[in-house]
Amino acid sequence: MATLLAESLIRDVPDFPKPGIIFKDIHPVLQSPQAFHEVVELLKEDVKSKGADVIVGIESRGFIFGVPLALDLDLPFALTRKIGKLPYEKITEEYSLEYGTNTIEMHVDAISPGQRVYVVDDLLATGGTAAAAAKLIERLNGTVCGFGFMVELEFLGGRKNLPGYDIHSLITY
Ligand code: AMP
């Protein structure tokens, strides 16, 4: 496949947010309507092929890519958020990081039982966040029909944390 414009725009920021991490900065993609459109169109094809009923965006950059998909495809949009941000009744999932833990939450009515759910984020790193999102969705009796990422950091082995799931990524490092 031809190289995506987005790939040429994503920039490496060394030592952010901690020494030793090379942060993939996606802001230049958002500044290029052509690149942004290209990414959304490709993810859209994948969502359509999975027969999704609802799109879930992972906070916070998952919202940026998930919302245009949901609007274009006329699908409901739901959120996973970091702990303490959601106002209504919610369920919570804690997961491990390299050091310490993180917690994400979802409203109890974000997913209806039996819905096919497509989960979107900007980037798959270790897969911990995506796996926690899948757990929340499954606790609400939804089925995860696919994951879509603009970027996958293959060397971090995120897919190992998401066994059995269908994962689509556009740009791999
Ligand atoms: P993980 O749970 O390790 O897959 O981390 C995924 C989340 O962290 C995603 O929402 C990414 O936006 C962010 N993230 C992790 N590592 C990086 C990186 N090297 N560059 C940019 N974003 C990252």
Side-chain angles (χ1 to χ4, degrees):
M1 197 165 89
T3 308
L4 292 181
L5 180 56
E7 182 164 2
S8 66
L9 295 175
I10 292 167
R11 69 185 161 204
D12 286 354
V13 180
D15 300 322
F16 182 87
K18 297 191 252 198
I21 305 280
I22 299 175
F23 195 83
K24 296 288 179 191
D25 179 12
I26 61 144
H27 290 83
V29 177
L30 308 179
Q31 290 172 283
S32 161
Q34 191 189 343
F36 195 1
H37 229 107
E38 195 178 37
V39 167
V40 170
E41 285 305 309
L42 288 170
L43 290 175
K44 209 161 88 181
E45 288 316 305
D46 192 51
V47 178
K48 280 202 260 183
S49 77
K50 304 282 158 58
D53 300 310
V54 53
I55 306 279
V56 163
I58 295 179
E59 181 173 1
S60 60
R61 287 181 296 272
F63 301 165
I64 297 169
F65 296 97
V67 165
L69 291 176
L71 286 176
D72 274 14
L73 293 170
D74 212 16
L75 293 174
F77 183 72
L79 297 76
T80 71
R81 294 218 62 183
K82 288 165 192 152
I83 191 165
K85 305 281 188 187
L86 289 174
Y88 184 63
E89 202 182 324
K90 59 218 153 207
I91 56 169
T92 295
E93 198 62 48
E94 188 179 87
Y95 60 98
S96 305
L97 301 171
E98 196 179 355
Y99 300 103
T101 61
N102 250 358
T103 304
I104 59 170
E105 298 184 320
M106 207 169 197
H107 275 160
V108 290
D109 61 356
I111 305 291
S112 304
Q115 277 188 318
R116 292 173 63 79
V117 184
Y118 190 94
V119 184
V120 181
D121 204 355
D122 66 326
L123 183 143
L124 174 63
T126 66
T129 314
K135 280 194 192 138
L136 289 173
I137 291 160
E138 287 160 4
R139 282 171 60 194
L140 296 174
N141 298 311
T143 300
V144 177
C145 64
F147 283 98
F149 303 96
M150 176 169 70
V151 177
E152 176 177 357
L153 302 182
E154 252 175 0
F155 56 91
L156 291 177
R159 282 175 190 254
K160 280 195 227 100
N161 260 326
L162 300 168
Y165 293 106
D166 226 311
I167 301 163
H168 187 64
S169 57
L170 305 180
I171 299 162
T172 52
Y173 294 98

